[in-house]
Amino acid sequence: MADTLSPLDDRARAYARMAKALEWLGDTWQDWPGLDAAARAMGLSPHHFQREFTRWAGISPKQFQGALAHAAAGDLLRQGASVLDASLEAGLSGPGRLHDLFIAHEGLTPGEAKAGGKGADLILGKAPTPFGMGAWLIGPRGLIALGFIDEDAAPRTGFEHQGRREEDAFANLASRYPAASIRRDDATAERMARDVFEDRAPLPVCLYGTPFRRQVWRALLDIPAGETCTYGRLAAAIEAPKASRAVGAAVGANPISWFIPCHRALAADGRLHNYHWGVARKRAMLVYERAHLA
């Protein structure tokens, strides 16, 4: 797979169109539309679409359709669930993970964390990811937070986020450590992005949060790639079955998107709902994992 992937910058630029392609293919796979129809829906030539999709995802559009067909739960579809929801709820099993992840020791003392990072020297930078441009917050011992930038994001309406523009994304991450010394350094962020997304290097992560939140975040890592879990099941997994609401809040507060996979957490009805960095991105992450595990 790795040999077919395009450079990380190209994958980041292609993300918005590929997210739409994933959604379109997810909605239409039962009809098995051909390459021409898929390319036309994306406004591209068949050759361009085939090449861009394959280099972004590491598999072809036809292979992706096959993965969805393999993952679909026929009984849920017969009950009227959407193709996307049925695919997400089918639950492909598999021990594989897309990334190696090393959880580093705490980079701040509890007192420093409580004080908003006072005395900590942090780096804030912009660097590409397969899911668009990322906003990276990095400490001396590893990654502290990862968010995403959507310059064309529509304004937030109600509870649901459509994404955040660069200024908003940076402010969102920096606000978590208001007393820290934070400087802009895109080059450092780009080195980390290429280390983990291109070279598949282990990622040092510094989890700053209450013991309960860190427990929930570590439980998210136990959800196999391509599978999902409700807040209630997460609460049971950490032996706090009556704390599903608190678990939901902890999932929402997860600072490190994608690597600590809060996108795998679903509401009690098992359907997609709000995501801090846009529901479209959550959908793209889930179907991307599905395709690579089928």
Side-chain angles (χ1 to χ4, degrees):
M1 180 184 73
D3 291 341
T4 68
L5 295 176
S6 58
L8 189 55
D9 287 317
D10 292 344
R11 296 178 76 199
R13 283 191 292 269
Y15 160 72
R17 184 155 52 211
M18 293 302 96
K20 293 178 182 177
L22 291 174
E23 183 176 8
W24 190 88
L25 290 169
D27 287 341
T28 62
W29 69 266
Q30 279 188 303
D31 297 326
W32 287 93
L35 179 62
D36 288 352
R40 189 163 52 249
M42 296 301 108
L44 299 174
S45 70
H47 174 76
H48 188 176
F49 177 68
Q50 172 88 358
R51 183 174 183 272
E52 185 175 63
F53 187 95
T54 301
R55 297 191 73 192
W56 181 84
I59 57 175
S60 70
K62 185 174 181 179
Q63 289 172 319
F64 178 74
Q65 289 171 315
L68 290 181
H70 177 71
D75 57 337
L76 289 176
L77 290 172
R78 286 190 292 272
Q79 293 169 17
S82 71
V83 170
L84 177 59
D85 287 338
S87 297
L88 296 180
E89 293 176 38
L92 288 176
S93 61
R97 291 189 182 276
L98 292 179
H99 304 281
D100 294 321
L101 185 62
F102 169 68
I103 303 299
H105 59 83
E106 296 302 311
L108 295 180
T109 66
E112 289 171 332
K114 186 176 181 180
K118 185 176 181 179
D121 294 318
L122 308 181
I123 289 171
L124 188 60
K126 179 172 69 173
T129 81
F131 303 101
M133 189 58 65
W136 302 70
L137 186 63
I138 303 169
R141 297 178 181 87
L143 181 64
I144 295 173
L146 173 63
F148 297 96
I149 296 168
D150 294 290
E151 287 300 350
D152 58 350
R156 177 179 174 179
T157 56
F159 180 66
E160 186 168 302
H161 290 286
Q162 302 299 323
R164 288 174 167 82
R165 299 188 180 189
E166 180 177 315
E167 183 178 358
D168 186 20
F170 280 171
N172 185 273
L173 298 188
S175 68
R176 304 177 190 212
Y177 307 97
S181 174
I182 300 178
R183 62 183 176 88
R184 178 77 178 262
D185 186 346
D186 290 349
T188 294
E190 288 175 5
R191 282 195 295 272
M192 178 171 280
R194 298 188 192 286
D195 282 347
V196 66
F197 283 118
E198 291 188 341
D199 298 335
R200 303 284 176 146
L203 176 68
V205 169
C206 296
L207 290 174
Y208 302 151
T210 65
F212 178 81
R213 286 187 172 184
R214 292 200 304 271
Q215 187 180 16
V216 172
W217 298 339
R218 289 188 173 96
L220 288 170
L221 291 167
D222 291 331
I223 306 172
E227 296 192 17
T228 58
C229 183
T230 65
Y231 297 140
R233 285 173 53 200
L234 271 178
I238 64 171
E239 300 182 353
K242 296 182 179 181
S244 58
R245 185 179 296 273
V247 165
V251 170
N254 168 39
I256 303 177
S257 302
W258 177 245
F259 298 109
I260 297 179
C262 57
H263 60 275
R264 297 177 193 159
L266 303 180
D269 61 5
R271 297 178 185 272
L272 289 177
H273 65 302
N274 196 31
Y275 182 61
H276 196 76
W277 303 103
V279 173
R281 183 167 280 106
K282 180 173 184 172
R283 179 187 295 110
M285 289 176 172
L286 286 168
V287 295
Y288 181 93
E289 289 182 330
R290 286 279 168 151
H292 282 266
L293 286 172

